[in-house]
Amino acid sequence: MKKNNAQYWVSKLGLLPHPEGGYYKRIFESEERTSSQELTVDFEGNRKLYTSIYFLLTSNDVSHFHRLKSDELWYYHAGSSLTIHIIHENGEYEEIKLGMNLDNGEVPQALVPKYSIFGSSVMEEDTCSLVGCMVSPGFEFQDFELFTQADLLSKYPQYKDIIMKLAYEKIPE
């Protein structure tokens, strides 16, 4: 079945490996820009008002814990449902199931607030999930922060199980 075949989506959509895990391709970006003077976020320079990507994650991979200075809206497109794991700024942990099985608590779109630490995983084996992610103000790699297990365990030892699954042991070079 094509909807659960990662190689189909990677090939048809021209997706590339993402440093956090999975595959992505930027598809939309605003022509307009903003600066930290208009916002409550401290950016260096200007940012596009928004950027949007396709993001594909397989059940053999995870999206490693990371943080952005912007809000990120996630939209379910195809394949298996996906779980977004969030450690909010106040230290509370939340799981959001992104998908179309509303009777099972899934939602077709979800917001990850700026400054949250988050990652994602596909729960069903031998499958993948295709989602869209819109970041506003727009994504720039200089605002992207990855975390190691040690970084997060020192602050959030109560979330050891998910940290061991979604944080890097060592940040890849």
Side-chain angles (χ1 to χ4, degrees):
M1 182 185 249
K2 288 183 180 178
K3 77 173 194 170
N4 287 330
N5 183 329
Q7 206 46 49
Y8 172 82
W9 296 113
V10 168
S11 172
K12 290 292 186 185
L13 297 175
L15 306 178
L16 300 170
H18 196 292
E20 78 192 47
Y23 300 87
Y24 81 107
K25 180 178 182 181
R26 186 176 282 197
I27 30 180
F28 298 110
E29 57 184 42
S30 172
E31 295 293 322
E32 295 187 63
R33 300 181 77 81
T34 190
S35 73
S36 60
Q37 293 175 350
E38 292 90 23
L39 305 168
T40 61
V41 177
D42 186 24
F43 290 118
E44 285 185 34
N46 291 326
R47 295 289 176 277
K48 294 178 180 292
L49 285 180
Y50 66 86
T51 55
S52 182
I53 64 169
Y54 286 128
F55 182 67
L56 180 126
L57 194 62
T58 72
S59 52
N60 298 327
D61 199 7
V62 297
S63 164
H64 291 86
F65 273 129
H66 60 287
R67 177 169 47 203
L68 301 177
K69 291 182 177 182
S70 299
D71 289 339
E72 183 167 6
L73 277 169
W74 289 59
Y75 304 92
Y76 174 82
H77 290 312
S80 294
S81 60
L82 176 118
T83 302
I84 305 168
H85 306 269
I86 305 168
I87 301 173
H88 290 277
E89 264 193 292
N90 66 4
E92 288 183 25
Y93 175 77
E94 178 184 15
E95 283 185 6
I96 300 174
K97 295 190 183 315
L98 199 64
M100 296 307 292
N101 188 345
L102 305 183
D103 292 332
N104 194 33
E106 296 176 6
V107 294
Q109 62 183 6
L111 174 69
V112 175
K114 64 185 172 191
Y115 300 124
S116 297
I117 296 168
F118 66 103
S120 59
S121 60
V122 177
M123 302 314 277
E124 201 174 317
E125 289 187 31
D126 299 320
T127 186
C128 67
S129 179
L130 177 67
V131 300
C133 299
M134 188 189 82
V135 176
S136 180
F139 178 87
E140 293 289 341
F141 271 104
Q142 68 194 45
D143 303 324
F144 174 78
E145 182 182 6
L146 283 168
F147 293 90
T148 65
Q149 294 168 351
D151 292 335
L152 296 178
L153 287 171
S154 67
K155 236 182 144 175
Y156 308 106
Q158 68 272 35
Y159 307 133
K160 180 181 180 182
D161 290 346
I162 195 63
I163 287 170
M164 297 306 289
K165 180 179 178 181
L166 294 185
Y168 281 110
E169 186 174 336
K170 179 182 170 202
I171 304 290
E173 307 260 337

